[in-house]
């Protein structure tokens, strides 16, 4: 105990406070039995919230997936085509040669003179 | 120590423990009861064990203080997560003696108000020395501070408390 003699005024006040709080203290048995129901309710509430959040996410994901599967897959080519303002620079003379294959005459149309062929060796 | 002996000892110290819990919870009676319940459960379950380094009373007050701090942290976290506490389902104990409560209620209110204006450390020290009747060295041990620091807080706390209480007097 470290109180000094001239601390009696404070000691008296604290003693009165101690008496008042001691009289107003809850019964020991009530304190030891307290809180179990409250805690279980709190736990249930938290679990319920978590379950609701998970269910919302799952439903959201599933519904968005269904929507994506049902939507027709297609590309609007008109929207995809685009002409650059500098395209005219590519329009050079003879530019068609770069885009087409050269035409080579077919063998059937070729004329060979087989009669003029001579064997030189025996 | 058997569980029954422990229960009996807790019951004897219970009124003082409640006062300390109230002080640790800034006078919030509901929270103080929660803190006491948790502290008692912790002790009875053997999760907090007395190691004999201090008196059992000092140790018990230390357990209550740590429990109150943990409660405060949890409450802060709940508040940060926007999880509002549910309504209380257990009504507070209706047993307080009205005559005893009325006795010195005014003085108690003055002292509580003045203590609330003190810094936390000074408030704790004054409570431990005057209310719990611990020595300054025991209080320093409980608060995990040096005895020199405890003395300084104690003297400053007393001086400030007297000033505040003097201001209350007509």
């Amino acid at each position: 105990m470290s109180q000094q003699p001239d601390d009696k005024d404070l000691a008296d006040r604290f003693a009165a406070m101690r008496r008042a709080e001691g009289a107003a203290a809850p019964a020991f048995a009530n304190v030891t039995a307290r809180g179990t129901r409250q805690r279980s309710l709190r736990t249930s509430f938290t679990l319920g919230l978590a379950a609701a959040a998970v269910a919302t996410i799952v439903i959201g994901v599933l519904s968005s997936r269904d929507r994506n599967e049902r939507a027709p897959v297609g590309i609007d080519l008109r929207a995809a085509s685009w002409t650059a303002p500098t395209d005219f620079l590519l329009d050079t003379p003879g530019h068609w040669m770069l885009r087409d294959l050269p035409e080579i005459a077919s063998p059937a149309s070729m004329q060979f003179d087989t009669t003029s062929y001579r064997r030189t060796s025996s | 120590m058997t569980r029954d002996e422990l229960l009996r000892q807790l019951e004897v110290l219970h009124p003082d423990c409640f006062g300390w819990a109230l002080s640790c919870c800034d006078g919030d009676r509901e929270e103080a009861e929660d803190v006491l319940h948790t502290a008692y459960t912790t002790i009875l379950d053997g999760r907090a064990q007395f190691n004999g380094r201090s008196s059992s009373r000092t140790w018990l007050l230390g357990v209550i203080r740590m429990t109150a701090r943990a409660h405060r942290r949890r409450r802060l976290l709940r508040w940060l997560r926007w999880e509002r506490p549910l309504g209380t389902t257990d009504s507070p104990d209706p047993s307080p003696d009205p005559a005893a409560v009325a006795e010195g209620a005014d003085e108690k209110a003055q002292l509580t108000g003045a203590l609330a204006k003190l810094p936390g450390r000074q408030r704790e020290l004054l409570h431990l020395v005057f209310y719990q009747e611990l020595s300054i060295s025991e209080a320093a041990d409980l608060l995990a501070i040096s005895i020199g620091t405890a003395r300084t807080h104690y003297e400053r706390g007393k001086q400030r408390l007297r000033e505040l209480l003097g201001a209350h007097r007509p």
Side-chain angles (χ1 to χ4, degrees):
Chain A
M1 174 102 174
S2 298
Q3 295 170 27
Q4 293 151 10
D6 60 339
D7 292 338
K8 194 175 177 312
D9 56 334
L10 291 182
D12 287 346
R13 281 178 179 271
F14 272 98
M17 185 190 202
R18 188 180 181 182
R19 278 196 302 275
E21 285 182 356
F28 177 70
N30 287 4
V31 172
T32 48
R34 175 191 172 79
T36 46
R37 193 178 156 214
Q38 195 173 343
R39 194 168 303 127
S40 70
L41 269 178
R42 226 175 251 171
T43 311
S44 313
F45 179 71
T46 311
L47 283 176
L49 268 184
V54 168
T56 309
I57 290 168
V58 168
I59 289 170
V61 167
L62 287 179
S63 66
S64 73
R65 219 166 63 177
D66 283 355
R67 241 197 331 269
N68 288 342
E69 279 169 6
R70 266 184 268 132
V73 180
I75 300 168
D76 185 0
L77 291 174
R78 278 173 305 176
S81 69
W82 178 72
T83 310
T86 52
D87 267 4
F88 71 94
L89 293 173
L90 299 172
D91 203 6
T92 52
H95 68 91
W96 56 268
M97 287 171 64
L98 300 170
R99 296 186 184 159
D100 295 340
L101 287 172
E103 269 186 31
I104 302 170
S106 62
S109 65
M110 289 181 184
Q111 301 293 321
F112 292 102
D113 183 8
T114 50
T115 54
S116 62
Y117 179 71
R118 299 273 187 274
R119 284 185 78 159
T120 51
S121 58
S122 58
Chain B
M1 193 182 288
T2 65
R3 189 185 162 87
D4 285 345
E5 286 171 340
L6 205 53
L7 267 172
R8 265 198 299 279
Q9 195 164 355
L10 285 178
E11 193 165 4
V12 169
L13 295 172
H14 173 65
D16 287 346
C17 290
F18 180 66
W20 177 233
L22 265 182
S23 172
C24 292
C25 300
D26 294 333
D28 185 334
R29 191 184 163 95
E30 277 295 307
E31 195 186 349
E33 288 184 22
D34 267 347
V35 165
L36 273 190
H37 170 78
T38 311
Y40 291 164
T41 311
T42 307
I43 291 166
L44 292 170
D45 290 351
R47 280 176 282 144
Q49 288 186 337
F50 179 52
N51 57 12
R53 278 195 308 167
S54 55
S55 71
S56 58
R57 181 188 166 86
T58 310
W59 169 75
L60 177 57
L61 296 178
V63 172
I64 292 169
R65 181 170 178 263
M66 298 308 288
T67 310
R69 285 185 155 202
H71 261 252
R72 184 148 295 183
R73 274 197 298 274
R74 272 201 294 274
R75 275 183 68 169
L76 180 67
L77 281 175
R78 273 207 298 270
W79 184 81
L80 287 174
R81 288 184 311 208
W82 291 89
E83 188 185 317
R84 297 283 175 255
L86 291 173
T88 310
T89 50
D90 298 334
S91 56
D93 190 343
S95 59
D97 177 7
V101 171
E103 178 203 339
D106 190 35
E107 271 198 6
K108 181 178 174 283
Q110 275 182 11
L111 183 57
T112 308
L115 281 171
K117 289 179 185 161
L118 293 181
R121 192 68 91 196
Q122 292 179 9
R123 187 172 59 239
E124 284 179 321
L125 261 163
L126 292 182
H127 182 102
L128 289 172
V129 173
F130 284 106
Y131 190 111
Q132 303 292 344
E133 301 184 337
L134 299 186
S135 68
I136 294 180
S137 106
E138 282 174 320
D141 191 29
L142 195 152
L143 299 176
I145 55 176
S146 73
I147 188 154
T149 308
R151 272 189 206 289
T152 308
H153 283 304
Y154 173 69
E155 292 300 333
R156 284 184 188 160
K158 270 196 316 186
Q159 193 181 345
R160 181 82 184 113
L161 186 62
R162 281 210 176 89
E163 287 167 12
L164 289 166
L165 289 173
H168 276 296
R169 283 192 184 123

